[in-house]
Amino acid sequence: MEKQDLSNRAPTPEEEPYYEEALNEMNSGERRPGIYAKALADSLGDKKKVDSLYLEYRAQSLKEEAERIAEEERIAEEKIAEEERIAEEERIAEEERIAEEERIAEEGSKITYALNNQMVFSDLLKGLLVSMVILALVVMILSGYLFS
């Protein structure tokens, strides 16, 4: 962790809660051993600087942890949004597929209806043709009897 020289400025309103939490931890006797060891090492034996350095390092640690958590939450939210987008796309694709199947089925029904009508018409024409042939035969037979 890169040491920042924060001693010449007051913490920003966003940083204050981190310093407050670090101070509360220190006053309650809680100390993170690794951060405390770093403060001891950087104090170069000056016991008066240890607490100051610890507060600075711990506040920075809390801030970085909060930023990491915020980033993880942002990534999780993006993942959820992406999953919802994919689910919506899949739902729309399924609706379109069903609509296409229904359209094809309707087209099939129309074609079947048209073919059935064509077959009925064809059957009527055949019947009419047969009737005309029979009528022609009857006329020929009757003509032969009448004119013979």
Side-chain angles (χ1 to χ4, degrees):
M1 177 163 97
E2 182 179 311
K3 182 182 171 191
Q4 297 177 359
D5 185 13
L6 303 177
S7 60
N8 294 334
R9 68 169 181 83
T12 65
E14 294 80 22
E15 293 173 329
E16 281 184 41
Y18 305 120
Y19 281 92
E20 182 179 348
E21 186 175 341
L23 181 62
N24 288 339
E25 284 179 9
M26 200 171 77
N27 287 339
S28 71
E30 287 182 50
R31 291 186 189 212
R32 299 268 305 269
I35 296 173
Y36 188 70
K38 172 80 169 135
L40 277 172
D42 288 349
S43 71
L44 302 173
D46 187 347
K47 298 280 184 182
K48 296 176 185 177
K49 289 184 180 181
V50 173
D51 287 343
S52 173
L53 289 171
Y54 179 83
L55 283 174
E56 183 179 319
Y57 296 163
R58 182 61 179 137
Q60 183 63 32
S61 168
L62 290 167
K63 180 181 178 188
E64 289 171 0
E65 185 177 334
E67 289 170 350
R68 181 190 52 79
I69 289 170
E71 179 66 10
E72 288 173 357
E73 288 173 353
R74 184 192 64 76
I75 290 169
E77 289 171 1
E78 285 179 358
K79 183 178 179 184
I80 289 169
E82 179 67 10
E83 289 170 352
E84 288 173 351
R85 184 191 63 76
I86 290 170
E88 180 66 11
E89 286 177 357
E90 289 172 350
R91 183 190 64 76
I92 290 169
E94 180 66 11
E95 286 177 358
E96 289 173 350
R97 185 192 61 77
I98 290 170
E100 181 65 11
E101 286 178 358
E102 290 172 352
R103 186 194 64 74
I104 290 169
E106 186 177 322
E107 277 297 311
S109 294
K110 287 178 182 178
I111 290 169
T112 301
Y113 178 76
L115 287 174
N116 285 339
N117 284 344
Q118 188 177 13
M119 287 171 40
V120 167
F121 183 70
S122 177
D123 288 346
L124 286 173
L125 279 177
K126 286 178 190 174
L128 182 61
L129 193 57
V130 168
S131 297
M132 288 174 69
V133 168
I134 292 172
L135 182 60
L137 288 174
V138 168
V139 167
M140 286 172 49
I141 292 172
L142 289 177
S143 303
Y145 285 120
L146 294 175
F147 296 112
S148 37

